[in-house]
Amino acid sequence: MNILVVNCGSSTLKFQLIDSETEQVKASGNCERIGLDGRIKYNAGSQKTVLETSLPDHAVAISRVFDLLTDAKDGVINSLDEIHAIGHRIVHGGEKFSSSVVITEDIIKEIETCNSLAPLHNPANILGIRACQRAMPKIKHVAVFDTAFHQTMPAKAYLYALPKEYYSKYGVRRYGFHGTSHSFVSKRLAELAGLDYGNSKLIICHIGSGASISAVKNGKSIDTSMGMTPLEGLVMGTRSGDIDPAIIEFICQKENISVNEMSVILNKNSGLLGLSGVSNDFRDLQEAAENGNKDAVNSYDVFVYRIIKYIGAYYMALGGADAIAFTAGIGENSSEVRKSIMDGLAAIGVEIDEEANKKRGEEVLLSTPSSKIPVWSVPTNEELAIARETARLI
């Protein structure tokens, strides 16, 4: 069964066509600059194509994707009839969705009620759903939510210490994100570590430009570092992570800027980029640090220190840990970051295998046999997780 996975942003549309039986990726790509000049990057096997083409809206973008998938030369299917379902990534499901669902008009209306919680993401996700529905109305479409996996958090983990009416009236609480990745990686970590997933204590570190950590007990998320929005928690590429909330009013007054302008600063101009003044790309940051840039060194140290603190907190929240996983771009590929973090976890018995830690982008045990907690690198695959959920539901 062929599942098309769609991840739609405000000006982008990422896609993968996956055979759900073999879990082979038949084709993948990304439509960029939708609403502007338009560009499509398309990969099918060894064939890699970049097309400069007009993409005035998401409907045209998905039409171009279907044209590429069925192209006589570069296509991987003969007709659209060979696509059996479409799985859509939805960023925010609020408290309404604790699992994936088959999309109906009522479901879309429920998703729209969460738009205020993710105004940059959910409306774009719905645009993708609508475009795909118009193009392929006869097949089933499935919504897979970033927040769903964390809906098992207890109240003590998700409630903010604010007047309770803000929660009851507006849904102000911690939701968490990267749930599809945390679910996928935690299951795979249990397999690799030889653990019973339903009777285990796992810490998952999704460390990329966006970053979050989760505590997974007996197969359920009991805490995670991101909050009502993806801004809370770890230091990230351009996001500040945890700060004293009084800083917002202080800077707004000093700089004579609005809360909206401050929100942009916290989301787009902070994190590693803001601290270093160099870049939000970790590779650039490391190069600058190696060349003696003090701000880059400080950025690296702050980034690693915050991760160590969260792992330590979740170690205590879980009452210990059976295994730890690093995943996502930095977690899977940066030997330097993993070493710095694992060195900082020596107090809980973590010992690094220096030779194993040199490997990048693959499943590998990073800790020594004598380490009290096994630490693994586990590549995430959110698209495959979405495809699995879609196949399961249909």
Side-chain angles (χ1 to χ4, degrees):
M1 180 164 56
N2 291 322
I3 306 292
L4 180 65
V5 175
V6 172
N7 179 357
C8 196
S10 58
S11 62
T12 63
L13 190 155
K14 299 178 183 178
F15 64 92
Q16 284 193 11
L17 185 66
I18 298 174
D19 183 329
S20 65
E21 295 176 10
T22 65
E23 299 192 339
Q24 173 195 3
V25 178
K26 291 187 170 183
S28 65
N30 186 14
C31 301
E32 303 173 344
R33 299 177 65 80
I34 297 173
L36 299 171
D37 45 352
R39 180 186 301 115
I40 303 178
K41 297 177 181 177
Y42 175 70
N43 304 317
S46 60
Q47 180 69 31
K48 298 183 184 298
T49 305
V50 177
L51 299 174
E52 304 292 338
T53 181
S54 175
L55 299 174
D57 55 39
H58 290 79
V60 172
I62 198 65
S63 177
R64 296 279 193 275
V65 169
F66 289 150
D67 289 343
L68 285 167
L69 293 173
T70 57
D71 183 76
K73 179 184 176 184
D74 298 325
V76 293
I77 54 176
N78 295 315
S79 75
L80 295 183
D81 291 339
E82 295 180 38
I83 298 176
H84 302 103
I86 300 180
H88 298 265
R89 179 203 178 206
I90 309 296
V91 167
H92 216 307
E95 292 186 317
K96 299 177 185 296
F97 299 102
S98 58
S99 61
S100 306
V101 293
V102 175
I103 296 171
T104 64
E105 278 303 310
D106 287 341
I107 291 296
I108 291 177
K109 290 177 182 177
E110 292 287 342
I111 295 171
E112 287 175 336
T113 65
C114 300
N115 283 2
S116 62
L117 297 172
L120 299 180
H121 298 91
N122 273 32
N125 299 156
I126 293 169
L127 282 174
I129 292 172
R130 293 295 193 194
C132 290
Q133 283 181 324
R134 284 192 293 269
M136 300 192 70
K138 295 182 180 180
I139 66 171
K140 289 185 178 179
H141 298 252
V142 170
V144 181
F145 300 91
D146 274 12
T147 51
F149 182 62
H150 301 302
Q151 280 297 297
T152 53
M153 285 192 293
K156 65 182 180 182
Y158 70 70
L159 287 175
Y160 289 118
L162 295 168
K164 63 181 181 181
E165 61 263 29
Y166 298 143
Y167 170 55
S168 58
K169 288 165 63 176
Y170 309 120
V172 176
R173 53 156 283 181
R174 298 178 66 247
Y175 291 97
F177 297 87
H178 294 141
T180 306
S181 175
H182 285 288
S183 175
F184 178 89
V185 172
S186 61
K187 291 183 178 73
R188 184 58 183 150
L189 175 61
E191 293 174 359
L192 291 169
L195 300 168
D196 174 7
Y197 188 57
N199 184 28
S200 60
K201 301 173 183 178
L202 309 174
I203 298 174
I204 311 301
C205 306
H206 179 110
I207 308 172
S209 181
S212 64
I213 297 179
S214 66
V216 182
K217 187 173 185 178
N218 302 334
K220 296 180 179 180
S221 173
I222 65 163
D223 207 345
T224 190
S225 58
M226 284 181 168
M228 177 175 161
T229 75
L231 184 58
E232 186 180 357
L234 304 177
V235 173
M236 301 174 229
T238 62
R239 297 184 187 124
S240 65
D242 297 337
I243 64 167
D244 179 345
I247 292 171
I248 296 171
E249 180 186 10
F250 181 83
I251 294 178
C252 284
Q253 290 179 349
K254 291 292 184 181
E255 294 289 319
N256 192 27
I257 59 176
S258 68
V259 172
N260 285 340
E261 289 173 303
M262 190 63 207
S263 179
V264 172
I265 292 170
L266 293 174
N267 280 283
K268 302 292 186 181
N269 303 322
S270 299
L272 295 174
L273 174 62
L275 267 174
S276 68
V278 174
S279 174
N280 64 310
D281 188 305
F282 210 81
R283 292 164 295 188
D284 297 337
L285 194 71
Q286 285 183 296
E287 182 179 351
E290 289 167 3
N291 289 330
N293 185 310
K294 183 63 175 176
D295 292 330
V297 172
N298 285 338
S299 302
Y300 180 95
D301 290 345
V302 170
F303 177 77
V304 169
Y305 180 63
R306 184 74 59 85
I307 293 169
I308 293 169
K309 285 208 311 184
Y310 263 96
I311 293 174
Y314 289 164
Y315 178 84
M316 298 305 295
L318 287 164
D322 297 319
I324 298 171
F326 292 117
T327 193
I330 297 172
E332 295 168 25
N333 296 293
S334 178
S335 301
E336 296 85 355
V337 170
R338 293 191 307 225
K339 174 176 170 51
S340 296
I341 296 169
M342 291 176 72
D343 285 348
L345 299 176
I348 59 173
V350 170
E351 295 180 3
I352 187 171
D353 182 328
E354 300 280 1
E355 194 62 32
N357 188 49
K358 294 177 182 178
K359 297 180 180 179
R360 300 171 184 262
E362 59 182 285
E363 291 181 346
V364 58
L365 178 62
L366 303 169
S367 55
T368 64
S370 58
S371 179
K372 291 182 179 178
I373 305 172
V375 181
W376 285 80
S377 169
V378 182
T380 190
N381 194 330
E382 294 172 272
E383 291 79 13
L384 177 57
I386 292 171
R388 285 175 175 173
E389 280 291 283
T390 302
R392 179 182 66 82
L393 280 173
I394 68 167

PDB file of all heavy atoms in Angstrom, residues 124-147:
ATOM      1  N   ALA A 124      -1.684  26.504   7.922  1.00  0.00           N
ATOM      2  CA  ALA A 124      -0.944  25.977   6.774  1.00  0.00           C
ATOM      3  C   ALA A 124      -1.179  24.482   6.614  1.00  0.00           C
ATOM      4  O   ALA A 124      -1.324  23.973   5.485  1.00  0.00           O
ATOM      5  CB  ALA A 124       0.548  26.261   6.939  1.00  0.00           C
ATOM      6  N   ASN A 125      -1.222  23.751   7.739  1.00  0.00           N
ATOM      7  CA  ASN A 125      -1.513  22.322   7.677  1.00  0.00           C
ATOM      8  C   ASN A 125      -2.868  22.069   7.035  1.00  0.00           C
ATOM      9  O   ASN A 125      -3.035  21.148   6.219  1.00  0.00           O
ATOM     10  CB  ASN A 125      -1.506  21.708   9.076  1.00  0.00           C
ATOM     11  CG  ASN A 125      -0.171  21.815   9.793  1.00  0.00           C
ATOM     12  OD1 ASN A 125      -0.117  21.787  11.020  1.00  0.00           O
ATOM     13  ND2 ASN A 125       0.928  21.955   9.060  1.00  0.00           N
ATOM     14  N   ILE A 126      -3.861  22.895   7.382  1.00  0.00           N
ATOM     15  CA  ILE A 126      -5.202  22.739   6.823  1.00  0.00           C
ATOM     16  C   ILE A 126      -5.214  23.064   5.336  1.00  0.00           C
ATOM     17  O   ILE A 126      -5.921  22.416   4.549  1.00  0.00           O
ATOM     18  CB  ILE A 126      -6.210  23.614   7.603  1.00  0.00           C
ATOM     19  CG1 ILE A 126      -6.354  23.078   9.035  1.00  0.00           C
ATOM     20  CG2 ILE A 126      -7.582  23.625   6.915  1.00  0.00           C
ATOM     21  CD1 ILE A 126      -7.117  23.995   9.973  1.00  0.00           C
ATOM     22  N   LEU A 127      -4.421  24.045   4.920  1.00  0.00           N
ATOM     23  CA  LEU A 127      -4.293  24.335   3.497  1.00  0.00           C
ATOM     24  C   LEU A 127      -3.840  23.089   2.732  1.00  0.00           C
ATOM     25  O   LEU A 127      -4.341  22.783   1.646  1.00  0.00           O
ATOM     26  CB  LEU A 127      -3.285  25.464   3.262  1.00  0.00           C
ATOM     27  CG  LEU A 127      -3.733  26.895   3.526  1.00  0.00           C
ATOM     28  CD1 LEU A 127      -2.541  27.844   3.371  1.00  0.00           C
ATOM     29  CD2 LEU A 127      -4.841  27.299   2.578  1.00  0.00           C
ATOM     30  N   GLY A 128      -2.882  22.371   3.304  1.00  0.00           N
ATOM     31  CA  GLY A 128      -2.396  21.148   2.675  1.00  0.00           C
ATOM     32  C   GLY A 128      -3.464  20.080   2.596  1.00  0.00           C
ATOM     33  O   GLY A 128      -3.595  19.380   1.576  1.00  0.00           O
ATOM     34  N   ILE A 129      -4.250  19.935   3.664  1.00  0.00           N
ATOM     35  CA  ILE A 129      -5.343  18.963   3.661  1.00  0.00           C
ATOM     36  C   ILE A 129      -6.340  19.290   2.564  1.00  0.00           C
ATOM     37  O   ILE A 129      -6.738  18.428   1.764  1.00  0.00           O
ATOM     38  CB  ILE A 129      -6.053  18.929   5.030  1.00  0.00           C
ATOM     39  CG1 ILE A 129      -5.134  18.363   6.108  1.00  0.00           C
ATOM     40  CG2 ILE A 129      -7.342  18.098   4.949  1.00  0.00           C
ATOM     41  CD1 ILE A 129      -5.698  18.473   7.515  1.00  0.00           C
ATOM     42  N   ARG A 130      -6.756  20.545   2.500  1.00  0.00           N
ATOM     43  CA  ARG A 130      -7.749  20.970   1.512  1.00  0.00           C
ATOM     44  C   ARG A 130      -7.250  20.741   0.087  1.00  0.00           C
ATOM     45  O   ARG A 130      -7.995  20.262  -0.773  1.00  0.00           O
ATOM     46  CB  ARG A 130      -8.086  22.451   1.709  1.00  0.00           C
ATOM     47  CG  ARG A 130      -8.809  22.795   2.995  1.00  0.00           C
ATOM     48  CD  ARG A 130     -10.175  22.178   3.052  1.00  0.00           C
ATOM     49  NE  ARG A 130     -10.997  22.729   4.129  1.00  0.00           N
ATOM     50  CZ  ARG A 130     -12.110  22.186   4.544  1.00  0.00           C
ATOM     51  NH1 ARG A 130     -12.572  21.066   3.970  1.00  0.00           N
ATOM     52  NH2 ARG A 130     -12.813  22.725   5.522  1.00  0.00           N
ATOM     53  N   ALA A 131      -5.997  21.091  -0.160  1.00  0.00           N
ATOM     54  CA  ALA A 131      -5.441  20.920  -1.500  1.00  0.00           C
ATOM     55  C   ALA A 131      -5.412  19.453  -1.902  1.00  0.00           C
ATOM     56  O   ALA A 131      -5.762  19.089  -3.031  1.00  0.00           O
ATOM     57  CB  ALA A 131      -4.033  21.510  -1.560  1.00  0.00           C
ATOM     58  N   CYS A 132      -5.024  18.583  -0.976  1.00  0.00           N
ATOM     59  CA  CYS A 132      -4.966  17.152  -1.272  1.00  0.00           C
ATOM     60  C   CYS A 132      -6.366  16.557  -1.420  1.00  0.00           C
ATOM     61  O   CYS A 132      -6.594  15.677  -2.265  1.00  0.00           O
ATOM     62  CB  CYS A 132      -4.194  16.417  -0.182  1.00  0.00           C
ATOM     63  SG  CYS A 132      -2.426  16.765  -0.160  1.00  0.00           S
ATOM     64  N   GLN A 133      -7.302  17.023  -0.609  1.00  0.00           N
ATOM     65  CA  GLN A 133      -8.677  16.526  -0.715  1.00  0.00           C
ATOM     66  C   GLN A 133      -9.285  16.872  -2.063  1.00  0.00           C
ATOM     67  O   GLN A 133      -9.985  16.054  -2.671  1.00  0.00           O
ATOM     68  CB  GLN A 133      -9.539  17.100   0.409  1.00  0.00           C
ATOM     69  CG  GLN A 133      -9.332  16.457   1.764  1.00  0.00           C
ATOM     70  CD  GLN A 133     -10.232  17.070   2.812  1.00  0.00           C
ATOM     71  OE1 GLN A 133     -10.496  18.270   2.797  1.00  0.00           O
ATOM     72  NE2 GLN A 133     -10.694  16.247   3.749  1.00  0.00           N
ATOM     73  N   ARG A 134      -9.037  18.098  -2.539  1.00  0.00           N
ATOM     74  CA  ARG A 134      -9.577  18.502  -3.836  1.00  0.00           C
ATOM     75  C   ARG A 134      -8.978  17.665  -4.956  1.00  0.00           C
ATOM     76  O   ARG A 134      -9.668  17.292  -5.914  1.00  0.00           O
ATOM     77  CB  ARG A 134      -9.307  19.983  -4.091  1.00  0.00           C
ATOM     78  CG  ARG A 134     -10.213  20.911  -3.300  1.00  0.00           C
ATOM     79  CD  ARG A 134     -10.114  22.345  -3.804  1.00  0.00           C
ATOM     80  NE  ARG A 134      -8.798  22.916  -3.533  1.00  0.00           N
ATOM     81  CZ  ARG A 134      -8.501  23.592  -2.435  1.00  0.00           C
ATOM     82  NH1 ARG A 134      -9.405  23.768  -1.482  1.00  0.00           N
ATOM     83  NH2 ARG A 134      -7.283  24.090  -2.269  1.00  0.00           N
ATOM     84  N   ALA A 135      -7.686  17.361  -4.824  1.00  0.00           N
ATOM     85  CA  ALA A 135      -7.011  16.588  -5.869  1.00  0.00           C
ATOM     86  C   ALA A 135      -7.382  15.107  -5.822  1.00  0.00           C
ATOM     87  O   ALA A 135      -7.497  14.458  -6.863  1.00  0.00           O
ATOM     88  CB  ALA A 135      -5.506  16.748  -5.734  1.00  0.00           C
ATOM     89  N   MET A 136      -7.568  14.567  -4.608  1.00  0.00           N
ATOM     90  CA  MET A 136      -7.870  13.141  -4.443  1.00  0.00           C
ATOM     91  C   MET A 136      -9.002  12.962  -3.428  1.00  0.00           C
ATOM     92  O   MET A 136      -8.772  12.569  -2.287  1.00  0.00           O
ATOM     93  CB  MET A 136      -6.613  12.382  -4.014  1.00  0.00           C
ATOM     94  CG  MET A 136      -5.473  12.474  -5.007  1.00  0.00           C
ATOM     95  SD  MET A 136      -4.146  11.305  -4.652  1.00  0.00           S
ATOM     96  CE  MET A 136      -4.931   9.745  -5.074  1.00  0.00           C
ATOM     97  N   PRO A 137     -10.227  13.251  -3.830  1.00  0.00           N
ATOM     98  CA  PRO A 137     -11.352  13.232  -2.883  1.00  0.00           C
ATOM     99  C   PRO A 137     -11.837  11.844  -2.487  1.00  0.00           C
ATOM    100  O   PRO A 137     -12.566  11.702  -1.504  1.00  0.00           O
ATOM    101  CB  PRO A 137     -12.449  13.985  -3.644  1.00  0.00           C
ATOM    102  CG  PRO A 137     -12.124  13.737  -5.089  1.00  0.00           C
ATOM    103  CD  PRO A 137     -10.635  13.702  -5.168  1.00  0.00           C
ATOM    104  N   LYS A 138     -11.450  10.828  -3.239  1.00  0.00           N
ATOM    105  CA  LYS A 138     -12.018   9.491  -3.006  1.00  0.00           C
ATOM    106  C   LYS A 138     -11.237   8.664  -1.995  1.00  0.00           C
ATOM    107  O   LYS A 138     -11.737   7.649  -1.505  1.00  0.00           O
ATOM    108  CB  LYS A 138     -12.122   8.733  -4.330  1.00  0.00           C
ATOM    109  CG  LYS A 138     -13.101   9.357  -5.309  1.00  0.00           C
ATOM    110  CD  LYS A 138     -13.198   8.533  -6.586  1.00  0.00           C
ATOM    111  CE  LYS A 138     -14.190   9.157  -7.557  1.00  0.00           C
ATOM    112  NZ  LYS A 138     -14.288   8.358  -8.816  1.00  0.00           N
ATOM    113  N   ILE A 139     -10.001   9.065  -1.679  1.00  0.00           N
ATOM    114  CA  ILE A 139      -9.207   8.280  -0.738  1.00  0.00           C
ATOM    115  C   ILE A 139      -9.286   8.881   0.656  1.00  0.00           C
ATOM    116  O   ILE A 139      -9.724  10.024   0.828  1.00  0.00           O
ATOM    117  CB  ILE A 139      -7.730   8.163  -1.177  1.00  0.00           C
ATOM    118  CG1 ILE A 139      -7.049   9.543  -1.131  1.00  0.00           C
ATOM    119  CG2 ILE A 139      -7.621   7.549  -2.557  1.00  0.00           C
ATOM    120  CD1 ILE A 139      -5.549   9.458  -1.350  1.00  0.00           C
ATOM    121  N   LYS A 140      -8.838   8.115   1.651  1.00  0.00           N
ATOM    122  CA  LYS A 140      -8.875   8.605   3.029  1.00  0.00           C
ATOM    123  C   LYS A 140      -7.634   9.424   3.340  1.00  0.00           C
ATOM    124  O   LYS A 140      -6.523   9.121   2.893  1.00  0.00           O
ATOM    125  CB  LYS A 140      -8.994   7.431   4.000  1.00  0.00           C
ATOM    126  CG  LYS A 140     -10.366   6.767   3.964  1.00  0.00           C
ATOM    127  CD  LYS A 140     -10.482   5.684   5.013  1.00  0.00           C
ATOM    128  CE  LYS A 140     -11.891   5.074   4.995  1.00  0.00           C
ATOM    129  NZ  LYS A 140     -12.041   3.995   5.993  1.00  0.00           N
ATOM    130  N   HIS A 141      -7.863  10.469   4.133  1.00  0.00           N
ATOM    131  CA  HIS A 141      -6.793  11.339   4.606  1.00  0.00           C
ATOM    132  C   HIS A 141      -6.740  11.210   6.121  1.00  0.00           C
ATOM    133  O   HIS A 141      -7.771  11.164   6.791  1.00  0.00           O
ATOM    134  CB  HIS A 141      -7.064  12.784   4.200  1.00  0.00           C
ATOM    135  CG  HIS A 141      -7.111  12.997   2.721  1.00  0.00           C
ATOM    136  ND1 HIS A 141      -6.126  13.658   2.025  1.00  0.00           N
ATOM    137  CD2 HIS A 141      -8.025  12.612   1.792  1.00  0.00           C
ATOM    138  CE1 HIS A 141      -6.428  13.690   0.751  1.00  0.00           C
ATOM    139  NE2 HIS A 141      -7.586  13.068   0.584  1.00  0.00           N
ATOM    140  N   VAL A 142      -5.527  11.171   6.674  1.00  0.00           N
ATOM    141  CA  VAL A 142      -5.334  10.949   8.103  1.00  0.00           C
ATOM    142  C   VAL A 142      -4.532  12.099   8.695  1.00  0.00           C
ATOM    143  O   VAL A 142      -3.552  12.563   8.095  1.00  0.00           O
ATOM    144  CB  VAL A 142      -4.613   9.606   8.358  1.00  0.00           C
ATOM    145  CG1 VAL A 142      -4.191   9.471   9.816  1.00  0.00           C
ATOM    146  CG2 VAL A 142      -5.511   8.439   7.953  1.00  0.00           C
ATOM    147  N   ALA A 143      -4.942  12.576   9.862  1.00  0.00           N
ATOM    148  CA  ALA A 143      -4.213  13.625  10.584  1.00  0.00           C
ATOM    149  C   ALA A 143      -3.393  12.995  11.698  1.00  0.00           C
ATOM    150  O   ALA A 143      -3.923  12.243  12.517  1.00  0.00           O
ATOM    151  CB  ALA A 143      -5.192  14.646  11.171  1.00  0.00           C
ATOM    152  N   VAL A 144      -2.097  13.298  11.718  1.00  0.00           N
ATOM    153  CA  VAL A 144      -1.184  12.812  12.752  1.00  0.00           C
ATOM    154  C   VAL A 144      -0.625  14.042  13.466  1.00  0.00           C
ATOM    155  O   VAL A 144      -0.019  14.916  12.830  1.00  0.00           O
ATOM    156  CB  VAL A 144      -0.052  11.957  12.152  1.00  0.00           C
ATOM    157  CG1 VAL A 144       0.867  11.447  13.258  1.00  0.00           C
ATOM    158  CG2 VAL A 144      -0.625  10.788  11.356  1.00  0.00           C
ATOM    159  N   PHE A 145      -0.826  14.128  14.778  1.00  0.00           N
ATOM    160  CA  PHE A 145      -0.566  15.351  15.538  1.00  0.00           C
ATOM    161  C   PHE A 145       0.768  15.298  16.282  1.00  0.00           C
ATOM    162  O   PHE A 145       1.076  14.313  16.955  1.00  0.00           O
ATOM    163  CB  PHE A 145      -1.693  15.580  16.545  1.00  0.00           C
ATOM    164  CG  PHE A 145      -3.046  15.737  15.908  1.00  0.00           C
ATOM    165  CD1 PHE A 145      -3.863  14.624  15.696  1.00  0.00           C
ATOM    166  CD2 PHE A 145      -3.505  16.977  15.509  1.00  0.00           C
ATOM    167  CE1 PHE A 145      -5.105  14.755  15.095  1.00  0.00           C
ATOM    168  CE2 PHE A 145      -4.745  17.123  14.914  1.00  0.00           C
ATOM    169  CZ  PHE A 145      -5.555  16.012  14.699  1.00  0.00           C
ATOM    170  N   ASP A 146       1.509  16.411  16.198  1.00  0.00           N
ATOM    171  CA  ASP A 146       2.770  16.538  16.944  1.00  0.00           C
ATOM    172  C   ASP A 146       2.545  16.477  18.454  1.00  0.00           C
ATOM    173  O   ASP A 146       3.428  16.061  19.205  1.00  0.00           O
ATOM    174  CB  ASP A 146       3.430  17.885  16.623  1.00  0.00           C
ATOM    175  CG  ASP A 146       4.298  17.826  15.385  1.00  0.00           C
ATOM    176  OD1 ASP A 146       4.220  16.823  14.653  1.00  0.00           O
ATOM    177  OD2 ASP A 146       5.039  18.791  15.134  1.00  0.00           O
ATOM    178  N   THR A 147       1.393  16.945  18.897  1.00  0.00           N
ATOM    179  CA  THR A 147       1.116  17.053  20.325  1.00  0.00           C
ATOM    180  C   THR A 147       0.502  15.796  20.932  1.00  0.00           C
ATOM    181  O   THR A 147       0.437  15.666  22.158  1.00  0.00           O
ATOM    182  CB  THR A 147       0.150  18.228  20.579  1.00  0.00           C
ATOM    183  OG1 THR A 147      -0.980  18.085  19.693  1.00  0.00           O
ATOM    184  CG2 THR A 147       0.818  19.564  20.305  1.00  0.00           C
TER     185      THR A 147
END
